[in-house]
Amino acid sequence: VVAAAAEPSAEAPRTSASGFIRHWSGELPVVLSVPHDGAAKPADIPDRTRGVTVRDSYAAALGHALRDALRERCGAAPQLIVCELSRKKVDCNREIGEGAAGQPRAEQVWREYHAAIDEAEAAVLARSKHGLYLDIHSHGHPKPRIEIGYLVKASELRLSDERLDGDQSVAARSSIRWLSQRTPAKFSELLRGETSLGGLFAARGVAAVPSPREVVLLDDPYFNGAYDIEAHGSRDKSQLDAAQLEVPGPMRDTPAHRAATAKAIAESLEAYFVRHFGTKLR
C-alpha cells in the first residue's frame, strides 16, 4: 500500500510504474523535489542496512505548501516530485549503490525519481533559458534556521568575500555554477549577501544560513547538499541551478508554520529571479 502524500495539491499527479513516485506538473521555471518523506514500507523490499534511514517529517507537506504559495503569488505552479517509499527502503538522495542497496525494486524507484526530475528540468529548459531546482528536506539541529546547501563546504563559507570572489574554483564546484557566471552579482553576494536566498529569506523573517545574519561556526552542524543537487544542479552541466533546503521543525511542523514558511520562500524566489535571472515569475 502506498501512503498518500501529506496535504497534496488539488490536481492529481502522475504516478510512476512502481507506484511510489508522484509528479505534479507546473509551468514555472522551478522544480521541487522531496526524497525522504515517504511512509510506504512494503515487506517485499528489504530494509537498507547502511546509511541514514530517518524520515524527513513534513517535508512533502512543505513542498505542497510552497507549490501552492507560488501558484497563488505567481499565477502558475512549479513542478513537484515526491518519493513516497520509505527511506528505510530507498534513499534517492544518495548514489544508487548506497541508496537502493542492490535491491531491484528499490533501484526501479530510485531511477523513476531521478527520471522525473530530469523530465521536469527538460520541460523548464524547453520554455526558459534558466531555472531553479530546490530539494526539500527536514533537519533537527538545535538552531532553528533553514540550512541552504550549494555543495559549498562549511569551511569555505567561513572564507572572506575577497577569497570567495577571487577563487573561482569555489563557484565552479557549487550547484549554482551556471548562475554564478551570469548574474551581475559577485559569488559572495549570491552565496550569502542580501539578495542571496538566505538573505531574502531572512528579510522576510525566516532565519537561514548562509545569509548576511547567520554564519556556520566551527562546531555548527550544517548540511551543504548531497546527490540530488549534484546530479541535477549546474555544477557538472548547463542545466538548472540548484540548492538543498534543510528546514527546521518550527518552520514545518504545523499547517500554519508551513504556510508562513512557504509564503516567505515564494516571495523570496520572486525577488531572486528578478535580481539574478532577470526574469519575472509572476
Side-chain angles (χ1 to χ4, degrees):
V1 178
V2 179
E7 300 176 12
S9 301
E11 72 272 22
R14 283 183 291 151
T15 302
S16 68
S18 71
F20 295 114
I21 304 302
R22 309 288 196 194
H23 183 176
W24 284 263
S25 62
E27 303 78 34
L28 290 180
V30 177
V31 176
L32 311 175
S33 67
V34 182
H36 291 160
D37 195 11
K41 301 174 184 177
D44 59 344
I45 300 179
D47 286 353
R48 296 166 56 236
T49 57
R50 67 184 181 97
V52 179
T53 59
V54 176
R55 182 177 179 179
D56 280 3
S57 59
Y58 304 112
L62 179 60
H64 286 291
L66 177 54
R67 185 171 185 269
D68 291 343
L70 281 166
R71 177 166 47 196
E72 180 178 353
R73 185 168 186 83
C74 303
Q79 298 194 56
L80 171 64
I81 295 98
V82 175
C83 177
E84 296 186 345
L85 182 62
S86 169
R87 195 178 184 184
K88 292 181 182 293
K89 306 294 183 178
V90 68
D91 187 339
C92 292
N93 194 31
R94 298 293 185 271
E95 54 82 25
I96 193 169
E98 178 182 344
Q103 299 298 324
R105 289 197 64 205
E107 289 178 346
Q108 177 187 357
V109 175
W110 188 97
R111 290 191 175 95
E112 289 173 344
Y113 173 84
H114 289 284
I117 298 173
D118 285 339
E119 179 184 336
E121 290 196 328
V124 167
L125 293 174
R127 297 190 297 265
S128 174
K129 295 180 180 179
H130 41 245
L132 188 66
Y133 163 54
L134 298 176
D135 198 36
I136 300 174
H137 297 258
S138 305
H139 81 73
H141 293 168
K143 294 185 178 180
R145 58 191 184 182
I146 295 180
E147 297 173 6
I148 306 171
Y150 301 106
L151 304 178
V152 176
K153 299 175 183 177
S155 59
E156 293 171 327
L157 291 178
R158 290 189 285 270
L159 295 175
S160 68
D161 288 353
E162 291 75 17
R163 289 280 303 279
L164 284 171
D165 297 332
D167 182 359
Q168 296 183 359
S169 68
V170 181
R173 295 193 305 272
S174 77
S175 58
I176 50 174
R177 176 188 64 84
W178 192 95
L179 181 56
S180 73
Q181 297 172 358
R182 287 157 175 81
T183 177
K186 294 181 178 180
F187 184 64
S188 59
E189 171 66 23
L190 189 61
L191 195 64
R192 62 187 179 208
E194 296 291 344
T195 64
S196 67
L197 286 176
L200 293 167
F201 292 175
R204 289 157 179 81
V206 173
V209 66
S211 76
R213 298 162 182 78
E214 299 276 349
V215 297
V216 181
L217 302 175
L218 281 172
D219 59 348
D220 280 348
Y222 168 69
F223 292 110
N224 74 326
Y227 183 84
D228 285 354
I229 64 171
E230 292 175 0
H232 303 287
S234 67
R235 186 191 67 177
D236 301 327
K237 301 175 183 178
S238 294
Q239 52 189 26
L240 300 199
D241 292 283
Q244 178 170 306
L245 302 183
E246 293 275 352
V247 183
M251 295 184 191
R252 58 179 164 82
D253 59 354
T254 69
H257 289 164
R258 290 191 290 274
T261 301
K263 181 176 183 292
I265 294 176
E267 291 176 359
S268 298
L269 290 178
E270 187 174 16
Y272 189 83
F273 267 78
V274 170
R275 176 66 177 87
H276 296 296
F277 289 116
T279 299
K280 291 184 179 180
L281 289 181
R282 190 184 296 265

